[in-house]
Amino acid sequence: MKIKFCGAAQTVTGSAHLLTLDNGFKILLDCGLYQGNSKEMKDFNEKFLFSPDEVDAVVLSHAHIDHAGRLPKLVKDGFNGRIYSTHATRDLSAIMLMDSAHIQERDAYYYNKNRKKGKPKKEALYAPEDVSKTLEEFVCCGYNRWLKINEECEVMFRDAGHILGSSNVTFKIKKDNYHDTYFGFTGDIGRPERPILRNPRQMPDCDYIICESTYGSKLHNSAPEDEERLLEVIQKACIEKKGKLIIPAFSVGRTQEIVHMLDRLETAGKLPKIPAFVDSPLAIDATDIFRAHPDCFDAETVRYMVTDPNPFGFKNLHYVRDLDGSKRLNSYKDPCIVISASGMMSAGRVKHHIFHAIEDPKNTLLIVGYCAPNTLGGRLRQRPETVKIFGEKKEVNFEIVMMDSFSAHGDQKEMIDFLDNQNRKKLKKIFLVHGDIERQEVVKEKLLEKDFRSVEIPALGESFKL
Ligand SMILES: [Zn+2]
C-alpha cells in the first residue's frame, strides 16, 4: 500500500491525498482547491500530481472548497469513477461547486478583459457543465456504517462536527485472510458544543492516520459564547444606538449558526422587534440544505424543532435573494441586522453594506470569523482610522465588535482529545497535513509527548510505502 500527498502538504488549502492499495486500486482522499497566493503554488490548481484517469474512486470528507473545489476539474480531466461522501456533503457540494464555477468563469472573464497585450488568455478552471457531470458521480452513505468500495476495501464516515455533513473517514483494507489494516483520515476536526451540529466522533483504532493541523499549535478558542452575548451586541447596536448591525458571515455554516441563534432568542421572546436580513443567495440555498438535513443536527436542535419546526426562520427575518433588494438595504436607515457574505469582507454584497455604513458612528460591525490579514476584514480587525473600499478612502466611524468563539476548527487541545482514544501500540504513524510548517512542528512535538510513536510532516508530492 502507498500514500502520496498531492495537496495541503505544509500548507492549509488544496487537500488531496492519493492512497494506492496493494491490488492497484487508487483512492483519492479529497480534491480541494488551493486558495492562497503563494508563487510556488501558482499552477497547483491547473495540474494534478497524478493522472486523473488512473484514479478509481474519490472519498470526500466535507464540502468546503479547499477539500472539494477541484472535483469538477478532476472529472473534466478524465476521472471516471465514483465519489463517496455523506448525503449532506453531496448536497452542499452541489451549490458550492456551482458557485465556484461561476467565480472561475467570472475571474477568467475579467482577467481576459484587462489582460495586457501579448499575455495568453486565461481559461476558467471548470464550467457549470463540469459541476453537473461531477454531481452525477456521487454515491452517498450515512454516518457510522461500512460501505464497500472495492473487493478489498470498505469505508466509514463519522461525524466530524465541523460543517454540515462533515466527516472523518476510516478505511478497512483487507491485509490477509485474518487481518485488516485501518487507515484513518481526519478531514477537518470540528469542535464540541457548537450550535446545530453534533460533537466530533472519534475514529476506530487505526494503523495509520492522516491528521489535519490547521490550529494544532494554538489554544485560541474561547468557549463557545451563547446567545446572550449576541443579544447584548444587538441591544446596544440596534436599540440603544438605533443603528444598523452588520454581520459578515460565510454563506455556509456561520450564517446558519447566527440565524439559528436569533431564532432561539426570538422564540424565547428576547429578541427586539427589529428586522433581520440574510443578504446572500448562496446562504439562502445553503439554509435550504440545512433544513433538509436534520439527520446531521445535535439532539438539542432536533428537540427544539418540536416547538419550532423552522429553526432558521422567524417573523422578522427576511431572506434577500435579488440584487435590487440588496441595494435597497444599503440605503435602509432604520435599526436592523444585516447578515451577508463574504465572511472576510473581501468581496460580495457585505462589502457594499460596509461601504455605506462605515462612516456613521451609529452603526456597528460584528466580526464573527477569522479574516486573512490582507482582506478588508483583516484590516478592520485592526480598527484603523481609515480604509479604502472600492478605491474610495472611508473614515472608520462605526463601532467594531468581535466574537471569536465561532471557529469551526478544533484547537490544539481539541485535536489531541480527538486522537486520544487511539491505541498507541497499533497506530504506527500519523501524517500531519493541512497546516503551516511552523505550526506542524509544534503539533508533532506535542503528539510525541503524548506517546504517539511516529509523526511525519510530508512535503508536497512525497510518497510513503505503508
Ligand atoms: Zn473545512
Side-chain angles (χ1 to χ4, degrees):
M1 213 161 67
K2 206 176 88 178
I3 182 79
K4 183 175 180 185
F5 295 90
C6 305
Q10 302 178 12
T11 182
V12 280
T13 59
S15 183
H17 319 294
L18 188 66
L19 183 66
T20 307
L21 305 185
D22 285 336
N23 65 1
F25 193 81
K26 285 185 162 58
I27 306 165
L28 185 63
L29 314 182
D30 285 353
C31 190
L33 198 71
Y34 174 73
Q35 294 171 301
N37 42 18
S38 123
K39 270 207 181 104
E40 304 93 77
M41 298 291 279
K42 197 166 68 70
D43 299 324
F44 177 84
N45 288 333
E46 305 281 342
K47 287 186 209 123
F48 291 102
L49 297 181
F50 48 83
S51 305
D53 57 352
E54 280 178 10
V55 178
D56 296 289
V58 175
V59 173
L60 180 61
S61 67
H62 65 293
H64 273 150
I65 285 299
D66 59 333
H67 292 259
R70 274 203 305 167
L71 280 171
K73 169 78 175 154
L74 188 78
V75 171
K76 183 182 167 185
D77 288 1
F79 169 70
N80 198 21
R82 302 288 90 83
I83 300 165
Y84 298 91
S85 78
T86 65
H87 301 276
T89 291
R90 187 260 170 220
D91 291 348
L92 278 181
S93 296
I95 57 164
M96 293 177 77
L97 293 177
M98 221 26 127
D99 185 62
S100 173
H102 288 142
I103 293 171
Q104 309 290 342
E105 291 201 333
R106 193 194 56 200
D107 286 356
Y109 170 80
Y110 282 110
Y111 177 88
N112 293 333
K113 207 173 138 187
N114 302 320
R115 140 187 85 106
K116 289 200 181 85
K117 264 195 184 139
K119 282 242 174 189
K121 262 194 156 182
K122 194 171 161 180
E123 207 190 305
L125 202 59
Y126 49 83
E129 290 77 8
D130 301 309
V131 175
S132 163
K133 257 195 236 159
T134 304
L135 293 167
E136 278 186 53
E137 305 300 348
F138 272 78
V139 175
C140 300
C141 182
Y143 289 118
N144 310 317
R145 65 193 65 168
W146 290 106
L147 174 72
K148 203 168 188 167
I149 59 173
N150 171 265
E151 277 316 305
E152 294 186 6
C153 178
E154 290 174 69
V155 66
M156 178 170 62
F157 297 102
R158 278 188 178 174
D159 202 329
H162 170 62
I163 61 161
L164 192 85
S166 66
S167 58
N168 56 63
V169 183
T170 310
F171 295 91
K172 185 162 69 177
I173 302 153
K174 220 181 188 131
K175 196 154 83 180
D176 53 45
N177 281 342
Y178 306 100
H179 304 94
D180 294 316
T181 299
Y182 284 75
F183 188 97
F185 172 43
T186 63
D188 280 352
I189 301 170
R191 308 182 61 200
E193 305 307 323
R194 296 189 51 244
I196 310 169
L197 303 180
R198 287 186 288 257
N199 292 351
R201 178 145 183 226
Q202 291 170 313
M203 294 185 288
D205 282 338
C206 290
D207 297 274
Y208 302 95
I209 288 179
I210 298 180
C211 181
E212 72 119 342
S213 49
T214 319
Y215 291 140
S217 67
K218 286 196 168 182
L219 280 169
H220 69 233
N221 293 327
S222 44
E225 287 167 288
D226 55 15
E227 293 118 52
E228 296 300 322
R229 166 96 174 99
L230 180 63
L231 185 59
E232 276 170 30
V233 177
I234 295 168
Q235 282 285 359
K236 187 169 177 217
C238 302
I239 304 301
E240 285 171 35
K241 292 173 69 184
K242 295 190 171 38
K244 205 182 243 183
L245 174 65
I246 297 172
I247 311 178
F250 294 107
S251 304
V252 179
R254 199 61 41 88
T255 293
Q256 289 75 27
E257 286 173 8
I258 304 273
V259 167
H260 182 56
M261 278 190 168
L262 295 177
D263 190 295
R264 282 174 174 270
L265 287 168
E266 207 264 351
T267 301
K270 292 178 182 170
L271 191 69
K273 294 203 173 2
I274 47 160
F277 301 93
V278 176
D279 182 22
S280 153
L282 184 61
I284 299 170
D285 292 340
T287 307
D288 287 341
I289 289 166
F290 268 70
R291 281 199 193 96
H293 284 286
D295 48 306
C296 298
F297 296 172
D298 61 11
E300 196 189 340
T301 310
V302 172
R303 177 61 24 204
Y304 177 78
M305 287 175 73
V306 176
T307 47
D308 179 359
N310 182 2
F312 307 102
F314 51 92
K315 204 172 145 226
N316 288 316
L317 181 73
H318 310 277
Y319 284 96
V320 181
R321 188 180 283 277
D322 65 306
L323 197 58
D324 285 342
S326 175
K327 282 181 184 161
R328 276 199 297 278
L329 264 185
N330 288 157
S331 49
Y332 189 88
K333 290 278 177 276
D334 292 333
C336 67
I337 302 167
V338 178
I339 304 161
S340 186
S342 71
M344 295 199 198
M345 303 164 236
S346 46
R349 293 180 179 183
V350 79
K351 208 169 161 182
H352 293 268
H353 293 301
I354 292 172
F355 181 83
H356 289 276
I358 195 165
E359 294 197 312
D360 189 342
K362 217 169 68 172
N363 298 325
T364 305
L365 178 75
L366 173 59
I367 303 178
V368 290
Y370 168 78
C371 298
N374 56 351
T375 58
L376 175 61
R379 286 196 292 279
L380 287 172
R381 282 187 78 100
Q382 305 300 319
R383 297 196 167 90
E385 281 181 13
T386 59
V387 283
K388 250 190 179 169
I389 311 177
F390 300 126
E392 209 176 294
K393 197 169 163 188
K394 289 277 190 186
E395 278 180 36
V396 183
N397 296 332
F398 62 7
E399 193 173 338
I400 298 173
V401 181
M402 289 175 228
M403 276 173 84
D404 278 333
S405 62
F406 281 93
S407 175
H409 275 278
D411 66 358
Q412 187 184 78
K413 183 182 178 301
E414 288 158 343
M415 185 188 141
I416 305 263
D417 285 352
F418 176 78
L419 293 173
D420 215 20
N421 69 322
Q422 291 293 323
N423 179 337
R424 309 297 202 265
K425 283 206 181 94
K426 183 175 167 71
L427 182 58
K428 297 181 188 75
K429 203 181 271 296
I430 297 177
F431 296 98
L432 291 178
V433 296
H434 215 273
D436 296 322
I437 183 76
E438 302 82 34
R439 291 186 181 189
Q440 290 181 313
E441 294 287 356
V442 177
V443 180
K444 180 176 173 176
E445 283 309 306
K446 198 80 202 170
L447 288 170
L448 293 173
E449 259 172 46
K450 290 276 176 185
D451 298 328
F452 288 98
R453 278 198 277 163
S454 167
V455 181
E456 204 67 60
I457 304 174
L460 186 64
E462 197 172 356
S463 293
F464 293 82
K465 231 176 143 355
L466 305 175

